[in-house]
Amino acid sequence: MPSLILLMIAGAAMFAYWNAARAAAERAEKLGRDACKAADVLWLDQTVHAHGLRVRRGEDGKLGFERSFRFEYSYDGIDRHIGRLVLRGEQLVSFIGPVRPSVAPLER
């Protein structure tokens, strides 16, 4: 009987981990898609790829997972560039990718 309880606890922990990983991937996908749309570039392959997983402390001091993802985008449909983003929980902590072009005025 105790082994059944341990098996159920392990199953629940694995489900919770899988569910959190899936939610993070969906959030990363939305962030990557929105960034490409805002920068007016093509979001390639319509997906993000999990790139890394680390245990980090959040701003509240609690341990949690920090997941990094990568995605690809193109300015003209021919070239390919890699974008990266890092999520700590649901919070975006790092982003490298397409940006909206802007022109800064020259000082005289």
Side-chain angles (χ1 to χ4, degrees):
M1 190 65 166
S3 63
L4 180 60
I5 292 173
L6 292 176
L7 185 61
M8 289 175 63
I9 291 171
M14 288 178 10
F15 176 76
Y17 172 79
W18 175 82
N19 195 33
R22 190 69 239 144
E26 289 173 4
R27 171 96 168 119
E29 188 174 312
K30 181 178 180 346
L31 290 169
R33 184 182 319 113
D34 291 349
C36 289
K37 185 175 180 181
D40 198 27
V41 298
L42 298 171
W43 186 47
L44 302 175
D45 303 332
Q46 307 300 310
T47 189
V48 295
H49 305 281
H51 186 63
L53 176 71
R54 297 193 304 181
V55 176
R56 300 290 293 232
R57 289 201 184 273
E59 291 184 15
D60 58 357
K62 294 181 182 178
L63 288 175
F65 289 115
E66 181 178 274
R67 293 176 168 89
S68 58
F69 297 90
R70 69 176 191 83
F71 61 96
E72 294 184 353
Y73 61 96
S74 174
Y75 289 104
D76 59 7
I78 297 172
D79 59 346
R80 290 180 89 87
H81 302 277
I82 295 176
R84 291 182 174 84
L85 56 95
V86 178
L87 295 175
R88 190 175 300 142
E90 292 251 333
Q91 182 181 9
L92 178 67
V93 294
S94 175
F95 180 83
I96 300 171
V99 294
R100 175 177 289 159
S102 62
V103 176
L106 295 175
E107 294 181 24
R108 290 187 178 240

XYZ file of all heavy atoms in Angstrom:
851
model
N 0.804 -1.207 0.000
C 0.000 0.000 0.000
C 0.848 1.273 0.000
O 0.526 2.188 -0.734
C -0.949 -0.039 1.199
C -1.992 1.036 1.159
S -3.086 0.778 -0.225
C -4.375 1.858 0.207
N 1.929 1.363 0.806
C 2.743 2.579 0.766
C 3.368 2.818 -0.606
O 3.562 3.957 -1.005
C 3.817 2.350 1.828
C 3.275 1.313 2.716
C 2.371 0.472 1.875
N 3.696 1.752 -1.340
C 4.300 1.946 -2.651
C 3.293 2.556 -3.628
O 3.675 3.314 -4.513
C 4.851 0.630 -3.194
O 3.799 -0.299 -3.377
N 2.018 2.238 -3.479
C 0.993 2.827 -4.328
C 0.871 4.326 -4.061
O 0.754 5.126 -4.996
C -0.356 2.142 -4.104
C -1.520 2.680 -4.936
C -1.228 2.538 -6.418
C -2.804 1.976 -4.564
N 0.950 4.725 -2.807
C 0.876 6.142 -2.457
C 2.079 6.889 -3.026
O 1.944 7.977 -3.585
C 0.765 6.325 -0.933
C -0.591 5.796 -0.452
C 0.945 7.782 -0.542
C -0.746 5.764 1.036
N 3.270 6.294 -2.899
C 4.467 6.919 -3.459
C 4.376 7.029 -4.982
O 4.798 8.031 -5.565
C 5.710 6.139 -3.060
C 6.078 6.178 -1.570
C 7.279 5.282 -1.306
C 6.361 7.598 -1.149
N 3.826 6.004 -5.615
C 3.652 6.031 -7.052
C 2.674 7.139 -7.463
O 2.903 7.861 -8.445
C 3.156 4.669 -7.547
C 3.042 4.492 -9.056
C 4.397 4.658 -9.720
C 2.450 3.142 -9.380
N 1.621 7.321 -6.713
C 0.646 8.378 -7.006
C 1.260 9.766 -6.803
O 1.022 10.679 -7.589
C -0.595 8.209 -6.132
C -1.433 7.010 -6.519
S -2.806 6.711 -5.409
C -3.769 8.179 -5.635
N 2.076 9.926 -5.773
C 2.745 11.202 -5.537
C 3.723 11.501 -6.663
O 3.796 12.630 -7.169
C 3.444 11.209 -4.169
C 2.403 11.211 -3.046
C 4.379 12.395 -4.032
C 2.976 11.008 -1.666
N 4.481 10.501 -7.082
C 5.430 10.688 -8.183
C 4.692 11.024 -9.475
O 5.121 11.897 -10.238
C 6.274 9.435 -8.373
N 3.580 10.370 -9.726
C 2.782 10.664 -10.920
C 2.233 12.077 -10.894
O 2.236 12.770 -11.912
N 1.763 12.521 -9.734
C 1.234 13.881 -9.608
C 2.351 14.908 -9.811
O 2.135 15.942 -10.451
C 0.581 14.068 -8.245
N 3.540 14.635 -9.289
C 4.671 15.556 -9.465
C 5.078 15.625 -10.933
O 5.367 16.716 -11.450
C 5.844 15.118 -8.602
N 5.098 14.496 -11.625
C 5.454 14.491 -13.043
C 4.408 15.241 -13.862
O 4.757 15.988 -14.777
C 5.610 13.055 -13.551
C 6.858 12.388 -13.037
S 7.169 10.666 -13.504
C 6.001 10.252 -14.724
N 3.138 15.082 -13.530
C 2.087 15.803 -14.239
C 2.205 17.309 -14.003
O 2.055 18.098 -14.940
C 0.701 15.306 -13.813
C -0.406 16.090 -14.454
C -0.735 15.877 -15.783
C -1.100 17.053 -13.748
C -1.737 16.605 -16.393
C -2.108 17.781 -14.342
C -2.433 17.561 -15.672
N 2.485 17.703 -12.772
C 2.626 19.130 -12.463
C 3.805 19.726 -13.229
O 3.705 20.837 -13.765
C 2.802 19.338 -10.966
N 4.919 19.011 -13.307
C 6.082 19.486 -14.057
C 5.746 19.615 -15.543
O 6.048 20.622 -16.180
C 7.273 18.535 -13.869
C 8.423 18.883 -14.761
C 9.287 19.917 -14.448
C 8.636 18.193 -15.958
C 10.327 20.267 -15.288
C 9.668 18.531 -16.794
C 10.516 19.561 -16.456
O 11.533 19.898 -17.295
N 5.116 18.604 -16.110
C 4.748 18.620 -17.527
C 3.787 19.770 -17.815
O 3.932 20.470 -18.818
C 4.108 17.286 -17.916
C 3.591 17.284 -19.318
C 4.307 17.071 -20.459
C 2.253 17.551 -19.733
N 3.477 17.177 -21.563
C 2.212 17.468 -21.139
C 1.077 17.833 -19.051
C 1.053 17.667 -21.860
C -0.084 18.032 -19.768
C -0.090 17.949 -21.161
N 2.822 19.972 -16.939
C 1.835 21.033 -17.131
C 2.499 22.415 -17.086
O 2.201 23.287 -17.903
C 0.742 20.922 -16.064
C -0.471 21.734 -16.403
O -0.813 21.883 -17.569
N -1.129 22.257 -15.385
N 3.429 22.625 -16.160
C 4.138 23.903 -16.064
C 5.035 24.119 -17.283
O 5.142 25.238 -17.801
C 4.963 23.955 -14.783
N 5.674 23.069 -17.761
C 6.534 23.183 -18.939
C 5.709 23.520 -20.175
O 6.111 24.350 -20.996
C 7.307 21.888 -19.160
N 4.548 22.911 -20.305
C 3.679 23.193 -21.443
C 3.163 24.631 -21.400
O 3.111 25.321 -22.420
C 2.508 22.199 -21.434
C 1.660 22.198 -22.644
C 2.404 21.644 -23.852
N 2.416 22.693 -24.866
C 3.395 22.942 -25.698
N 4.479 22.228 -25.684
N 3.329 23.902 -26.571
N 2.781 25.098 -20.215
C 2.301 26.474 -20.065
C 3.408 27.474 -20.395
O 3.163 28.501 -21.042
C 1.779 26.706 -18.649
N 4.640 27.191 -19.981
C 5.769 28.076 -20.280
C 6.040 28.107 -21.781
O 6.322 29.171 -22.351
C 7.010 27.626 -19.524
N 5.938 26.967 -22.449
C 6.156 26.922 -23.893
C 5.078 27.716 -24.633
O 5.376 28.430 -25.599
C 6.184 25.481 -24.386
N 3.852 27.628 -24.177
C 2.774 28.398 -24.802
C 2.979 29.896 -24.591
O 2.749 30.694 -25.492
C 1.425 27.956 -24.256
C 1.012 26.580 -24.735
C -0.249 26.070 -24.069
O -0.864 26.811 -23.266
O -0.623 24.921 -24.352
N 3.428 30.284 -23.407
C 3.700 31.701 -23.122
C 4.856 32.196 -23.992
O 4.803 33.283 -24.555
C 4.029 31.862 -21.640
C 4.525 33.223 -21.247
C 3.422 34.081 -20.724
N 3.990 35.272 -20.094
C 3.733 36.489 -20.532
N 2.902 36.680 -21.521
N 4.282 37.522 -19.938
N 5.928 31.391 -24.108
C 7.074 31.761 -24.941
C 6.663 31.884 -26.404
O 7.117 32.794 -27.108
C 8.187 30.731 -24.790
N 5.799 31.000 -26.858
C 5.330 31.060 -28.237
C 4.564 32.353 -28.495
O 4.762 33.020 -29.509
C 4.432 29.851 -28.516
C 4.028 29.702 -29.950
C 3.273 28.416 -30.179
O 3.741 27.353 -29.728
O 2.204 28.474 -30.812
N 3.714 32.745 -27.568
C 2.952 33.982 -27.712
C 3.886 35.199 -27.708
O 3.740 36.102 -28.520
C 1.925 34.105 -26.599
C 1.073 35.367 -26.706
C 0.049 35.427 -25.615
C -0.830 36.639 -25.643
N -0.480 37.761 -26.443
N 4.862 35.208 -26.813
C 5.802 36.327 -26.752
C 6.633 36.434 -28.034
O 6.843 37.528 -28.556
C 6.715 36.185 -25.540
C 6.064 36.390 -24.179
C 7.003 35.949 -23.070
C 5.655 37.833 -23.994
N 7.114 35.308 -28.545
C 7.891 35.317 -29.784
C 7.062 35.773 -30.971
O 7.517 36.580 -31.786
N 5.834 35.279 -31.071
C 4.955 35.667 -32.164
C 4.631 37.160 -32.105
O 4.689 37.864 -33.113
C 3.661 34.861 -32.108
C 2.727 35.137 -33.261
C 1.405 34.380 -33.204
N 1.519 33.019 -32.769
C 1.012 32.562 -31.617
N 0.380 33.367 -30.799
N 1.136 31.294 -31.289
N 4.325 37.657 -30.899
C 4.007 39.078 -30.744
C 5.204 39.978 -31.060
O 5.046 41.038 -31.653
C 3.500 39.357 -29.329
C 2.125 38.750 -29.073
O 1.473 38.298 -30.046
O 1.712 38.703 -27.901
N 6.404 39.546 -30.664
C 7.609 40.334 -30.954
C 7.859 40.399 -32.453
O 8.216 41.453 -32.989
C 8.822 39.739 -30.238
N 7.665 39.296 -33.153
C 7.858 39.290 -34.604
C 6.812 40.151 -35.295
O 7.125 40.872 -36.250
C 7.809 37.862 -35.135
S 9.253 36.879 -34.687
N 5.594 40.104 -34.813
C 4.537 40.926 -35.404
C 4.822 42.410 -35.169
O 4.666 43.227 -36.073
C 3.194 40.546 -34.797
C 2.027 41.240 -35.427
C 0.725 40.733 -34.851
C -0.452 41.437 -35.496
N -1.725 40.977 -34.939
N 5.273 42.763 -33.973
C 5.570 44.164 -33.661
C 6.745 44.681 -34.476
O 6.780 45.853 -34.849
C 5.852 44.326 -32.172
N 7.725 43.824 -34.756
C 8.902 44.234 -35.523
C 8.682 44.091 -37.029
O 9.568 44.413 -37.823
C 10.113 43.417 -35.102
N 7.520 43.578 -37.425
C 7.169 43.396 -38.829
C 8.158 42.475 -39.538
O 8.678 42.786 -40.610
C 7.070 44.744 -39.550
C 6.307 44.636 -40.861
O 5.451 43.734 -40.959
O 6.573 45.431 -41.777
N 8.443 41.336 -38.901
C 9.286 40.300 -39.504
C 8.492 39.006 -39.560
O 7.451 38.863 -38.918
C 10.608 40.092 -38.720
C 11.436 41.355 -38.716
C 10.350 39.614 -37.312
N 8.993 38.036 -40.327
C 8.337 36.738 -40.439
C 8.755 35.839 -39.288
O 9.947 35.685 -39.015
C 8.722 36.067 -41.757
C 8.329 36.786 -43.034
C 8.975 36.113 -44.231
C 6.822 36.804 -43.174
N 7.786 35.240 -38.639
C 8.056 34.271 -37.571
C 8.087 32.904 -38.224
O 7.071 32.406 -38.729
C 6.959 34.362 -36.516
C 7.198 33.531 -35.311
C 8.338 33.442 -34.593
C 6.263 32.675 -34.659
N 8.179 32.590 -33.528
C 6.915 32.111 -33.563
C 4.947 32.336 -34.904
C 6.292 31.217 -32.702
C 4.322 31.459 -34.049
C 4.987 30.901 -32.964
N 9.265 32.275 -38.259
C 9.454 31.026 -38.984
C 9.106 29.814 -38.131
O 9.256 29.820 -36.917
C 10.906 30.926 -39.463
C 11.371 32.070 -40.354
C 12.849 31.920 -40.663
C 10.553 32.146 -41.619
N 8.659 28.777 -38.768
C 8.352 27.471 -38.178
C 7.183 27.493 -37.199
O 6.804 26.451 -36.684
C 9.578 26.853 -37.502
C 10.749 26.705 -38.451
O 10.508 26.554 -39.664
O 11.891 26.759 -37.984
N 6.649 28.661 -36.876
C 5.458 28.800 -36.036
C 5.580 28.100 -34.679
O 4.604 27.595 -34.142
C 4.222 28.273 -36.774
C 4.015 28.869 -38.142
C 3.841 30.378 -38.113
O 3.057 30.868 -37.347
N 4.612 31.076 -38.923
N 6.781 28.059 -34.120
C 6.966 27.394 -32.838
C 8.215 27.903 -32.133
O 9.030 28.601 -32.719
C 7.043 25.863 -33.018
O 7.004 25.237 -31.742
C 8.310 25.450 -33.737
N 8.341 27.555 -30.864
C 9.550 27.811 -30.092
C 10.131 26.462 -29.680
O 9.423 25.462 -29.634
C 9.270 28.676 -28.835
C 8.809 30.054 -29.217
C 8.271 28.012 -27.919
N 11.415 26.459 -29.390
C 12.091 25.225 -28.992
C 12.692 25.433 -27.604
O 13.404 26.416 -27.383
C 13.197 24.872 -29.985
C 12.714 24.776 -31.392
N 12.061 23.682 -31.875
C 12.763 25.663 -32.411
C 11.737 23.888 -33.142
N 12.157 25.088 -33.492
N 12.417 24.510 -26.708
C 13.015 24.582 -25.375
C 14.515 24.418 -25.531
O 14.999 23.518 -26.219
C 12.437 23.500 -24.477
N 15.251 25.305 -24.887
C 16.701 25.338 -25.078
C 17.457 25.052 -23.783
O 18.591 24.603 -23.817
C 17.085 26.700 -25.643
C 18.502 26.840 -26.033
N 19.078 26.094 -27.026
C 19.480 27.636 -25.567
C 20.341 26.428 -27.147
N 20.613 27.361 -26.278
N 16.856 25.325 -22.645
C 17.547 25.098 -21.385
C 16.598 25.178 -20.202
O 15.505 25.729 -20.292
N 17.041 24.613 -19.102
C 16.261 24.605 -17.869
C 17.228 24.720 -16.700
O 18.207 23.975 -16.622
C 15.460 23.301 -17.762
C 14.661 23.083 -16.500
C 13.468 24.027 -16.456
C 14.176 21.646 -16.436
N 16.968 25.704 -15.824
C 17.803 25.888 -14.637
C 16.903 26.147 -13.440
O 15.799 26.651 -13.582
C 18.738 27.085 -14.795
C 19.717 26.939 -15.901
C 20.814 27.946 -15.870
N 20.354 29.326 -15.865
C 21.160 30.363 -15.853
N 22.453 30.184 -15.862
N 20.694 31.590 -15.843
N 17.406 25.821 -12.272
C 16.723 26.171 -11.031
C 17.309 27.492 -10.556
O 18.518 27.619 -10.387
C 16.908 25.069 -9.958
C 16.271 25.491 -8.654
C 16.320 23.756 -10.444
N 16.438 28.499 -10.389
C 16.875 29.835 -9.979
C 15.948 30.376 -8.904
O 14.811 29.961 -8.795
C 16.835 30.803 -11.166
C 17.699 30.420 -12.333
C 19.144 30.554 -12.015
N 19.484 31.951 -11.820
C 20.443 32.581 -12.407
N 21.218 31.935 -13.241
N 20.682 33.842 -12.161
N 16.437 31.329 -8.157
C 15.606 32.011 -7.182
C 14.881 33.161 -7.859
O 15.457 33.918 -8.630
C 16.441 32.565 -6.034
C 16.977 31.487 -5.142
C 17.355 32.037 -3.784
N 17.957 30.987 -2.997
C 17.259 30.144 -2.248
N 15.959 30.244 -2.195
N 17.867 29.207 -1.565
N 13.598 33.297 -7.536
C 12.823 34.410 -8.054
C 13.053 35.646 -7.212
O 13.835 35.651 -6.251
N 12.363 36.723 -7.558
C 12.499 37.960 -6.803
C 11.974 37.819 -5.381
O 12.394 38.546 -4.490
C 11.778 39.090 -7.529
C 12.473 39.478 -8.813
C 11.796 40.663 -9.479
O 10.993 41.347 -8.825
O 12.091 40.883 -10.655
N 11.066 36.866 -5.179
C 10.538 36.634 -3.832
C 11.424 35.703 -3.011
O 11.134 35.432 -1.855
C 9.121 36.070 -3.915
C 9.058 34.771 -4.709
O 10.097 34.334 -5.234
O 7.949 34.199 -4.802
N 12.516 35.206 -3.599
C 13.454 34.353 -2.886
C 13.153 32.872 -2.981
O 13.932 32.050 -2.515
N 12.043 32.499 -3.605
C 11.678 31.089 -3.733
C 12.352 30.471 -4.947
O 12.579 31.132 -5.957
C 10.164 30.949 -3.874
C 9.402 31.368 -2.647
C 7.922 31.169 -2.866
C 7.144 31.628 -1.638
N 5.690 31.481 -1.857
N 12.673 29.185 -4.823
C 13.261 28.459 -5.941
C 12.198 28.172 -6.991
O 11.045 27.883 -6.659
C 13.879 27.148 -5.473
C 15.170 27.249 -4.666
C 15.588 25.878 -4.183
C 16.266 27.879 -5.483
N 12.600 28.235 -8.230
C 11.700 27.933 -9.334
C 12.508 27.634 -10.580
O 13.735 27.736 -10.581
N 11.814 27.260 -11.614
C 12.485 26.929 -12.862
C 12.625 28.157 -13.746
O 11.715 28.980 -13.839
C 11.711 25.861 -13.631
C 11.777 24.498 -13.011
C 10.638 23.890 -12.516
C 12.976 23.832 -12.924
C 10.692 22.637 -11.949
C 13.057 22.579 -12.349
C 11.907 21.977 -11.863
N 13.772 28.258 -14.386
C 14.014 29.272 -15.407
C 14.197 28.513 -16.718
O 15.105 27.702 -16.847
C 15.265 30.080 -15.069
C 15.567 31.164 -16.071
C 16.781 31.963 -15.675
O 16.619 32.917 -14.895
O 17.882 31.608 -16.136
N 13.309 28.761 -17.642
C 13.318 28.041 -18.910
C 13.728 28.984 -20.031
O 13.246 30.103 -20.108
C 11.932 27.481 -19.200
C 11.503 26.396 -18.253
C 10.076 25.958 -18.554
N 9.736 24.742 -17.856
C 9.219 24.707 -16.636
N 8.986 25.828 -15.988
N 8.939 23.556 -16.067
N 14.615 28.509 -20.901
C 15.005 29.315 -22.055
C 14.485 28.640 -23.328
O 14.444 27.413 -23.429
C 16.521 29.513 -22.106
O 17.183 28.288 -22.163
N 14.083 29.486 -24.255
C 13.514 29.031 -25.522
C 14.192 29.776 -26.654
O 14.718 30.864 -26.475
C 12.007 29.330 -25.576
C 11.214 28.619 -24.530
C 10.986 29.199 -23.295
C 10.689 27.360 -24.773
C 10.251 28.544 -22.324
C 9.948 26.704 -23.812
C 9.733 27.300 -22.581
N 14.163 29.187 -27.829
C 14.657 29.858 -29.014
C 13.611 29.743 -30.113
O 12.797 28.821 -30.128
C 16.013 29.326 -29.459
C 16.022 27.943 -29.995
C 17.421 27.554 -30.498
N 17.356 26.311 -31.236
C 17.009 26.212 -32.505
N 16.707 27.270 -33.196
N 16.964 25.045 -33.112
N 13.638 30.709 -31.014
C 12.747 30.712 -32.161
C 13.494 31.345 -33.318
O 14.556 31.937 -33.133
C 11.447 31.480 -31.858
C 11.657 32.927 -31.520
C 11.532 33.910 -32.481
C 11.984 33.312 -30.223
C 11.730 35.239 -32.164
C 12.175 34.634 -29.897
C 12.051 35.607 -30.873
N 12.968 31.199 -34.510
C 13.631 31.740 -35.686
C 12.723 32.731 -36.387
O 11.494 32.563 -36.411
C 14.044 30.618 -36.633
C 15.108 29.724 -36.022
C 15.608 28.662 -36.976
O 15.054 28.505 -38.079
O 16.586 27.991 -36.611
N 13.341 33.764 -36.951
C 12.600 34.788 -37.671
C 13.406 35.232 -38.879
O 14.596 34.945 -38.989
C 12.265 35.976 -36.762
C 13.466 36.693 -36.200
C 13.961 37.834 -36.831
C 14.101 36.253 -35.049
C 15.065 38.501 -36.315
C 15.187 36.913 -34.532
C 15.668 38.032 -35.172
O 16.752 38.698 -34.667
N 12.728 35.911 -39.801
C 13.371 36.359 -41.027
C 12.878 37.747 -41.380
O 11.707 38.069 -41.209
C 13.042 35.391 -42.168
O 13.552 35.877 -43.387
N 13.794 38.573 -41.880
C 13.432 39.915 -42.323
C 12.834 39.914 -43.725
O 11.964 40.709 -44.040
C 14.648 40.849 -42.285
C 15.075 41.189 -40.884
C 16.194 40.598 -40.325
C 14.355 42.091 -40.124
C 16.591 40.910 -39.033
C 14.740 42.399 -38.831
C 15.853 41.803 -38.297
O 16.230 42.102 -37.020
N 13.319 39.005 -44.589
C 12.876 39.022 -45.984
C 12.405 37.669 -46.504
O 12.109 37.535 -47.672
C 13.985 39.564 -46.880
C 15.261 38.747 -46.789
O 15.259 37.690 -46.136
O 16.281 39.171 -47.371
N 12.347 36.660 -45.666
C 11.922 35.338 -46.100
C 13.048 34.470 -46.611
O 12.856 33.287 -46.864
N 14.224 35.032 -46.777
C 15.367 34.271 -47.271
C 16.347 33.981 -46.129
O 16.828 32.863 -45.983
C 16.081 35.027 -48.412
C 15.116 35.185 -49.588
C 17.340 34.293 -48.844
C 15.639 36.067 -50.693
N 16.636 35.000 -45.334
C 17.581 34.825 -44.230
C 16.873 34.239 -43.005
O 15.660 34.238 -42.906
C 18.227 36.163 -43.870
C 17.194 37.204 -43.457
O 15.998 36.985 -43.693
O 17.600 38.239 -42.912
N 17.648 33.690 -42.094
C 17.116 33.141 -40.846
C 17.941 33.689 -39.691
O 19.171 33.685 -39.746
C 17.183 31.614 -40.829
C 16.225 30.950 -41.776
C 16.353 29.440 -41.716
N 15.502 28.821 -40.730
C 14.247 28.446 -40.939
N 13.692 28.663 -42.106
N 13.559 27.865 -39.993
N 17.253 34.150 -38.666
C 17.910 34.635 -37.466
C 17.313 33.919 -36.268
O 16.134 33.547 -36.276
C 17.717 36.149 -37.317
C 18.236 36.929 -38.474
N 19.558 37.279 -38.597
C 17.619 37.405 -39.573
C 19.726 37.939 -39.719
N 18.564 38.036 -40.328
N 18.107 33.763 -35.234
C 17.650 33.076 -34.031
C 17.348 34.100 -32.952
O 18.168 34.967 -32.661
C 18.710 32.076 -33.531
C 18.896 30.970 -34.568
C 18.306 31.494 -32.185
C 19.979 29.993 -34.228
N 16.173 33.984 -32.369
C 15.785 34.794 -31.226
C 15.764 33.914 -29.986
O 15.534 32.709 -30.080
N 16.035 34.515 -28.853
C 16.037 33.763 -27.595
C 15.233 34.518 -26.560
O 15.259 35.746 -26.521
C 17.467 33.577 -27.104
C 18.278 32.652 -27.959
C 19.689 32.465 -27.381
N 20.414 31.465 -28.120
C 21.082 31.684 -29.244
N 21.099 32.883 -29.772
N 21.726 30.705 -29.860
N 14.551 33.767 -25.711
C 13.869 34.378 -24.586
C 13.942 33.456 -23.387
O 14.050 32.252 -23.522
C 12.425 34.759 -24.923
C 11.471 33.706 -25.441
C 10.665 33.124 -24.299
C 10.530 34.345 -26.414
N 13.946 34.064 -22.209
C 14.065 33.323 -20.953
C 12.880 33.694 -20.082
O 12.579 34.864 -19.878
C 15.388 33.655 -20.235
C 15.479 32.908 -18.915
C 16.582 33.315 -21.115
N 12.215 32.667 -19.559
C 11.086 32.849 -18.662
C 11.434 32.294 -17.293
O 11.973 31.194 -17.177
C 9.844 32.115 -19.178
C 9.230 32.586 -20.478
C 8.088 31.650 -20.875
C 8.729 33.994 -20.352
N 11.143 33.063 -16.286
C 11.249 32.579 -14.906
C 9.819 32.543 -14.388
O 9.239 33.564 -14.081
C 12.112 33.503 -14.065
C 12.446 32.918 -12.708
C 13.405 33.790 -11.932
N 14.668 33.952 -12.652
C 15.359 35.089 -12.671
N 14.928 36.146 -12.028
N 16.493 35.164 -13.322
N 9.264 31.331 -14.336
C 7.841 31.208 -14.060
C 7.095 31.736 -15.276
O 7.313 31.296 -16.395
N 6.233 32.716 -15.091
C 5.512 33.347 -16.201
C 6.169 34.648 -16.640
O 5.756 35.265 -17.607
C 4.074 33.642 -15.773
C 3.244 32.415 -15.550
C 2.209 32.242 -16.626
O 1.801 33.245 -17.220
O 1.839 31.089 -16.865
N 7.197 35.071 -15.927
C 7.809 36.379 -16.161
C 8.940 36.292 -17.179
O 9.830 35.447 -17.080
C 8.344 36.935 -14.846
C 8.955 38.303 -14.966
C 9.498 38.787 -13.642
O 9.571 38.047 -12.683
N 9.885 40.044 -13.607
N 8.907 37.190 -18.149
C 9.980 37.298 -19.133
C 11.156 38.024 -18.490
O 11.008 39.141 -18.019
C 9.492 38.069 -20.361
C 10.506 38.311 -21.464
C 10.895 36.995 -22.122
C 9.948 39.264 -22.492
N 12.322 37.373 -18.438
C 13.485 37.992 -17.805
C 14.575 38.348 -18.810
O 15.461 39.138 -18.501
C 14.072 37.112 -16.680
C 13.101 36.991 -15.533
C 14.479 35.750 -17.179
N 14.521 37.793 -20.020
C 15.521 38.112 -21.025
C 14.924 37.887 -22.410
O 14.176 36.931 -22.614
C 16.756 37.230 -20.851
O 17.685 37.452 -21.878
N 15.261 38.780 -23.344
C 14.775 38.646 -24.715
C 15.848 39.137 -25.668
O 16.385 40.230 -25.515
C 13.497 39.467 -24.927
C 12.954 39.353 -26.318
C 12.168 38.279 -26.670
C 13.250 40.305 -27.271
C 11.680 38.156 -27.964
C 12.773 40.190 -28.566
C 11.976 39.114 -28.903
N 16.157 38.319 -26.665
C 17.049 38.696 -27.752
C 16.328 38.315 -29.029
O 15.999 37.150 -29.235
C 18.398 37.953 -27.674
C 19.106 38.274 -26.376
C 19.269 38.297 -28.874
C 20.330 37.419 -26.121
N 16.034 39.303 -29.856
C 15.301 38.983 -31.068
C 15.011 40.215 -31.883
O 15.687 41.240 -31.751
N 13.981 40.123 -32.721
C 13.683 41.232 -33.628
C 13.173 42.445 -32.863
O 12.481 42.320 -31.857
C 12.595 40.662 -34.535
C 11.915 39.642 -33.703
C 12.996 39.047 -32.843
N 13.559 43.591 -33.342
C 13.066 44.840 -32.765
C 12.564 45.718 -33.889
O 12.992 45.586 -35.039
C 14.159 45.578 -31.955
C 14.544 44.791 -30.743
C 15.372 45.860 -32.796
N 11.683 46.605 -33.561
C 11.156 47.546 -34.547
C 12.257 48.522 -34.922
O 12.885 49.125 -34.058
C 9.966 48.281 -33.960
C 9.445 49.364 -34.890
C 8.240 50.022 -34.337
N 7.158 49.046 -34.433
C 6.065 49.086 -33.716
N 5.881 50.025 -32.844
N 5.136 48.169 -33.859
N 12.517 48.693 -36.211
C 13.544 49.662 -36.604
C 13.112 51.075 -36.241
O 11.944 51.428 -36.349
C 13.659 49.483 -38.110
C 12.472 48.716 -38.529
C 11.903 48.031 -37.340
N 14.061 51.848 -35.786
C 13.755 53.241 -35.457
C 14.933 54.106 -35.887
O 16.065 53.660 -35.977
C 13.499 53.400 -33.963
O 14.656 53.059 -33.247
N 14.624 55.346 -36.115
C 15.646 56.297 -36.544
C 15.764 57.362 -35.447
O 14.781 57.974 -35.069
C 15.265 56.948 -37.898
C 16.293 58.002 -38.274
C 15.123 55.890 -38.970
N 16.967 57.547 -34.974
C 17.215 58.569 -33.960
C 17.631 59.859 -34.654
O 18.430 59.832 -35.607
C 18.291 58.109 -32.993
N 17.124 60.987 -34.204
C 17.530 62.234 -34.840
C 19.000 62.555 -34.540
O 19.496 62.256 -33.472
C 16.603 63.272 -34.201
C 16.165 62.663 -32.922
C 16.184 61.168 -33.138
N 19.649 63.120 -35.523
C 21.049 63.506 -35.359
C 21.123 64.833 -34.623
O 20.345 65.755 -34.864
C 21.728 63.647 -36.723
C 21.850 62.365 -37.547
C 22.438 62.694 -38.913
C 22.723 61.379 -36.830
N 22.088 64.913 -33.744
C 22.300 66.181 -33.022
C 23.244 67.054 -33.834
O 24.175 66.581 -34.449
C 22.898 65.892 -31.653
C 21.961 65.157 -30.745
C 22.572 64.910 -29.380
O 23.491 65.662 -28.998
O 22.141 63.987 -28.709
N 22.994 68.346 -33.798
C 23.853 69.277 -34.547
C 24.763 69.995 -33.615
O 24.570 70.291 -32.542
C 23.014 70.262 -35.315
C 22.311 69.556 -36.434
C 21.599 70.578 -37.304
N 20.974 69.882 -38.387
C 21.261 70.109 -39.644
N 22.149 70.997 -39.974
N 20.665 69.446 -40.578
